[in-house]
Amino acid sequence: MQSSSSSSSTPIRLQFFPARESSPAKSVQLVSGTQKAYYMEAQNQEVAALVQKIAGLHATISKLPSLSPSTEVDRLFTDLVKACVPASPIDVTKLDPGTQRMREELIRLCSAAEGQLEAHYSDMLSVFDNPLDQLGRFPYYSNYINLSKLEYELLVSHIPGIAPTRIAFVGSGPLPFSSLVLATHHLPNTLFDNYDRCSEANERAMKLFRADKNLGERMSFHTADVAGLTEELCAYDVVFLAALVGMAAEEKAEVIAHLGSHMADGAALIVRSAHGARGFLYPIVDLEDIRRGGFEVLAVCHPEDEVINSVIVARKADTQGATALNNGLVDSHVMVPGVGPTSMSCKMEVSVLEKAEELAHIKELSV
C-alpha cells in the first residue's frame, strides 16, 4: 500500500499559568506538571479519535462483498492509509484486547486486498509485449522504488563491503517489484530467488520477465512455504522477509527463528515492519524476537514520509554470538533521533556496540 504525501499533525498548543507559590522551585514544578497534564490529555484525545476512525473503517471494510479492486474498495483503503500514515503518539502494542483483535483482522483484510490488487495489475501488465516497460501503470510503484532504495542503503551502510551474489526474497507475490528494483538499480550482478507459497502468484510473476533475457536469467521463482526451507537458506548472502509473511506476532517469531536456524553465519536479514499507527496496516516486528532468533540487530529505520514500512537490518550471529544474544548477554539498542540515508527522512536505532566503535574511532582521530 502507498500513501499520498501528508503534512504533519497540527502542533499541540500548551498554555502556561503563573504559579501562586513564591518559591521558584515550586513554581517550576507546577508549570512542568501543567504542561505534562495538557500534553498527555491532548495525546489521549488524539489516540482515541484515531482508534475510533480506524474502527469505523474496519467495520465498513469488513462488510464489503469483495476486496477486488473497485472504486469503493480503493476509496476505503485510501482513507485507511491516510489515517495511519501521519505521525501519531499511539503505541498499538498497548491497546486493549478488543482493539488488538480489530487490528489483527484489519491487517489480514489489508493483506487480502493487497494480494488482489497486485494480481489484478500483474494480469494487466502481462498482456504487453514487454511488461517491464509498463510498471509505472501500477499506482504505487514509486513506493517500491523508494523502499528498495532505503533497504539497499541501510544494508551497505551497516554491513560495509557486502556484495551479495545471491539473495532470497520470502513472500515475493505476483508483482515482485522489490527484487526487480534491487536487481535493476542496485545489484546488477546478483541472482534473486523469490519464494511464495502461492503457485498462481509465481506464475503471474514469471510472465513479467519473459521479454527481458538478462533479468529473466537472474530471477527464479519457487512455490514453497518458508517453514519448508532448510538447506537452501545457507546459500544466501541476504534474505528479505516481506511484511506480510507471518501476520500474527507468534507467526512472525516462528518464521524468524526458522531463518535463524538455517541461514549462514554472517548473512544479512532485512525485515519489514511498521511503527506507530502504521501498525494497523502491517505487523510490528518485535526486535527481541529477532535477537532470540540468533540475529544481531544492526539498525532500525522508521520512515516519516510516504514509505509505510519500517526496515530492520540484522545479521546472523555465529554460534557463540547467538548464544549470547539468546541469554541476554549482549546489550540491546539506543534510540538515535535523526536522519538515516540521505534519500530518506526517518528515525534510526543503531547497535550500542556499533555506536561505541564509532565513538572510539572519533577519539583516536582527536588524539
Side-chain angles (χ1 to χ4, degrees), residues 115-329:
Q116 294 201 35
L117 179 69
E118 292 189 359
H120 171 79
Y121 274 93
S122 186
D123 290 341
M124 177 191 295
L125 293 173
S126 67
V127 303
F128 292 97
D129 292 337
N130 188 347
L132 299 185
D133 289 340
Q134 307 295 328
L135 299 181
R137 292 176 179 269
F138 185 69
Y140 311 129
Y141 180 53
S142 62
N143 185 52
Y144 287 92
I145 293 176
N146 293 332
L147 176 58
S148 296
K149 183 177 183 181
L150 171 63
E151 290 172 328
Y152 173 75
E153 290 178 342
L154 288 170
L155 176 65
V156 297
S157 295
H158 293 278
I159 307 182
I162 188 170
T165 58
R166 198 169 178 186
I167 284 177
F169 195 98
V170 180
S172 50
L175 284 178
F177 283 150
S178 297
S179 294
L180 171 64
V181 172
L182 288 167
T184 303
H185 299 290
H186 306 295
L187 297 166
N189 300 311
T190 304
L191 301 178
F192 288 79
D193 286 336
N194 299 280
Y195 292 94
D196 200 287
R197 61 184 182 183
C198 176
S199 59
E200 292 181 356
N202 286 325
E203 289 170 5
R204 285 185 165 100
M206 285 188 284
K207 292 178 181 178
L208 302 177
F209 295 90
R210 68 177 186 274
D212 193 311
K213 183 179 179 181
N214 176 47
L215 276 175
E217 290 177 348
R218 293 166 55 209
M219 292 282 171
S220 60
F221 296 88
H222 312 273
T223 300
D225 190 299
V226 63
L229 304 178
T230 53
E231 291 87 356
E232 302 97 323
L233 293 171
C234 292
Y236 302 113
D237 306 297
V238 184
V239 174
F240 283 78
L241 184 62
L244 294 171
V245 176
M247 285 184 276
E250 56 274 13
E251 293 172 351
K252 186 76 73 174
E254 289 174 2
V255 170
I256 292 170
H258 179 79
L259 293 174
S261 297
H262 298 286
M263 285 174 58
D265 290 348
L269 176 66
I270 309 295
V271 182
R272 292 177 180 176
S273 182
H275 183 68
R278 301 174 187 208
F280 284 102
L281 305 172
Y282 291 103
I284 293 178
V285 180
D286 189 339
L287 296 184
E288 289 307 312
D289 286 336
I290 295 180
R291 297 186 186 104
R292 281 190 289 266
F295 296 92
E296 176 191 4
V297 178
L298 302 179
V300 180
C301 179
H302 302 306
E304 297 182 325
D305 58 8
E306 68 275 6
V307 173
I308 295 174
N309 291 115
S310 297
V311 178
I312 303 169
V313 179
R315 179 169 49 200
K316 173 69 183 301
D318 56 25
T319 304
Q320 183 177 356
T323 301
L325 287 166
N326 280 319
N327 293 337
L329 300 178

Side-chain angles (χ1 to χ4, degrees), residues 92-104:
V92 299
T93 64
K94 296 180 180 179
L95 297 172
D96 64 85
T99 306
Q100 286 286 11
R101 287 192 295 273
M102 180 272 289
R103 172 179 166 257
E104 292 173 2

